[in-house]
Amino acid sequence: MATASEAVPRAAHDVARALRDSGVDRVFLITGGDLWLWRALRDHGIEMCLARSEAASVVMADAYARVTGRPAVVYGQWGPGAANVAAALADARWAHSPLVALTSTVSTRVEYKYEYQELDQPPMFQSVTKWQARVTRADRAGELVAQALRSAGAGAPGPVHIDIPCDILAAEAAPTHADADADADADADADANANATYAPIHRPTPPAPSAAAVADIADRLARSLRPVLLAGNGVLTADAAEDLTRLAETAGVPVLTTLGGKGSIAENHPLSAGVAGRYASKVANEIAREADFVLAIGTDLGGLATDTYTLPSAGADVVQADVVAEHIGRTRMVDAGVVADAGELCRALAVALPSESGNRAHHTWRESVRSRCVAWQQTFHAVAHRPAAGHVRPEAVVAILRELADDRDLLVADTGFMGAWGGALFPVRAPGRTFLRAAGTLGWAFPAVLGAQLAAGAERRAFALVGDGGFGYHVGDLETALRLDIPAVTIVLNNASLAYEHVGFKHGLGGEPVSEVCDFLDIDHAKVAAAYGVFAARVDSADAFRSALEQAIATARPALIDVVVSKERVAPVTTFDTRLVRDV
């Protein structure tokens, strides 16, 4: 509420009230000049999480939204602040993260007069948002903010953008006398009634599949010999991991996930076959290629999920189910499409399907998949325990992390090799969103682990897996972690290079790497982190990493472990499969 010193509430208070009433408890930001907004947020009990850049603020909010499943808010001041917010939204857009980018603009009194830092902001957000609005009246500020929050989480979630001129934030929230004089009394009354209240966030009933669609899927499944479920990010967005697991158990069908859908089933479940796609284990992609029926739930079947559009195989019977009709059949021909919420579809199918016990072909296929997955796991553990001199195998890092982390802890992986090391090799043991990955933005994982830890609370720890190239983007947010007392553990796999490019030159082009675009100085990031005051260690052996990780977990403080790894080690990606034989 407004303080006693404020005779008239400002539009900024309506914005803060709309956020609070819609369930927003934090705003992520780098402060600009909109002082009324900061006062209003404070007065309405909304925590302000100050980062060291707009990009870090966006990523923290993105991860917070993914973990909580609720829209999160990030702020940017007009001009360069707004531009930086827009530039950082791509990952949230790719990952369907419900994010509200709230940006101020220059005062309406000086628009189009070359005011300091003025930019035409909406075009910058067009390709990275699903909806935009501009507040042009102070008495509509709260209404449109609430609408932005609803839009971010509706249907297929995604970022939205709302622009509010700075003078409107500071303006009186009530309609002006000029408005009242200009309108007829009836129109003024209608305006007042329309803008006095707004509808806070609510979840509409999700779309359910038709009975005909359910019967068709059941028939296709019964006629198949080698069926799989392919679960994508939409399963987690719908909070349907338990529903998908129940469907798999009822049907007796193995489950593959996309990288974004990792966690749709616990990966120690007998029916889990791991992550398929471009960042995947060898065995998962083998299973995906052999399947003759694929029910793809909540995935857009994009390039990463399908290993550059080669999975499922061309001869497979593919049914794609998505909450948005436009996503179906966009990347490949499908045999049937179903517009439905992932949870609604899984529940309807689990009820409709007969017991799997009598299908001998399915039993044989299921046992084959399980035995091959067990054999692959044995190979992985053998690789993880191979000795290494002067460096640590990334496989060992993942294996030790899995051993020491709790099942409900969070792993946040950066893009590139980090996404592959974590996505393909780290088995999540609890269904739900316990794995987050950069959908394509290098450097995302470090600020993301801070947002994820804030969302997880004190009962769970968040761990980041990031390369030295990615970590360099946001070193300054070590101070953010310390100031906000965020006890996340950041694991830097340090090979003093951009290893994907280094390996690409050697194995993709078959020649000498162009070192000036691949190699960095060998920086001891633990010393940098220690200078900030966080717990830090640098290690070059598996035993030393285990010890450092145990200490980091025990400290319950912000922590960083700099792990020396080899830039010659190739992550489990399919990019180089035609030129080398990988272990896992």
Side-chain angles (χ1 to χ4, degrees), residues 37-58:
L37 183 58
W38 317 133
R39 178 173 290 178
L41 292 174
R42 181 201 63 193
D43 291 347
H44 284 83
I46 295 175
E47 184 176 346
M48 289 164 275
C49 296
L50 178 67
R52 300 300 297 240
S53 68
E54 289 86 3
S57 299
V58 170

Side-chain angles (χ1 to χ4, degrees), residues 16 144 194 233 317 321 327 337 447 474 523 526:
L144 290 175
N233 183 47
D317 182 12
H327 293 176
H474 297 289
I523 301 298

Side-chain angles (χ1 to χ4, degrees), residues 473-513:
Y473 278 75
H474 297 289
V475 174
D477 282 290
L478 287 166
E479 186 273 338
T480 303
L482 192 66
R483 170 170 39 85
L484 299 182
D485 191 22
I486 304 175
V489 179
T490 300
I491 301 168
V492 181
L493 299 190
N494 189 350
N495 49 28
S497 74
L498 295 170
Y500 213 136
E501 283 66 31
H502 174 84
V503 171
F505 280 115
K506 294 191 70 173
H507 299 289
L509 298 184
E512 191 68 24

Side-chain angles (χ1 to χ4, degrees), residues 232-256:
N233 183 47
V235 174
L236 298 176
T237 299
D239 195 21
E242 291 185 1
D243 297 312
L244 182 124
T245 302
R246 192 174 302 112
L247 170 60
E249 292 170 345
T250 300
V253 174
V255 178
L256 294 164

Side-chain angles (χ1 to χ4, degrees), residues 120-143:
D120 184 14
Q121 294 173 187
M124 297 187 297
F125 288 84
Q126 186 172 355
S127 67
V128 290
T129 58
K130 57 183 279 192
W131 183 83
Q132 290 197 71
R134 187 171 190 267
V135 176
T136 58
R137 292 172 53 114
D139 59 336
R140 294 198 67 194
E143 171 204 349

Side-chain angles (χ1 to χ4, degrees), residues 311-367:
L311 300 174
S313 65
D317 182 12
V318 178
V319 176
Q320 185 179 6
D322 199 282
V323 74
V324 178
E326 289 78 7
H327 293 176
I328 297 172
R330 183 170 178 175
T331 66
R332 61 164 290 151
M333 292 290 293
V334 297
D335 297 278
V338 180
V339 178
D341 170 82
E344 293 287 339
L345 177 67
C346 290
R347 289 189 290 271
L349 274 172
V351 170
L353 290 176
S355 171
E356 53 79 24
S357 59
N359 192 318
R360 173 52 56 182
H362 289 186
H363 175 78
T364 301
W365 165 245
R366 188 167 57 249
E367 291 302 309

Side-chain angles (χ1 to χ4, degrees), residues 14-35:
D14 280 358
V15 170
R17 187 180 301 109
L19 296 176
R20 182 200 65 195
D21 291 351
S22 298
V24 174
D25 57 354
R26 286 182 169 94
V27 170
F28 297 86
L29 60 110
I30 181 76
T31 317
D34 296 306
L35 306 185

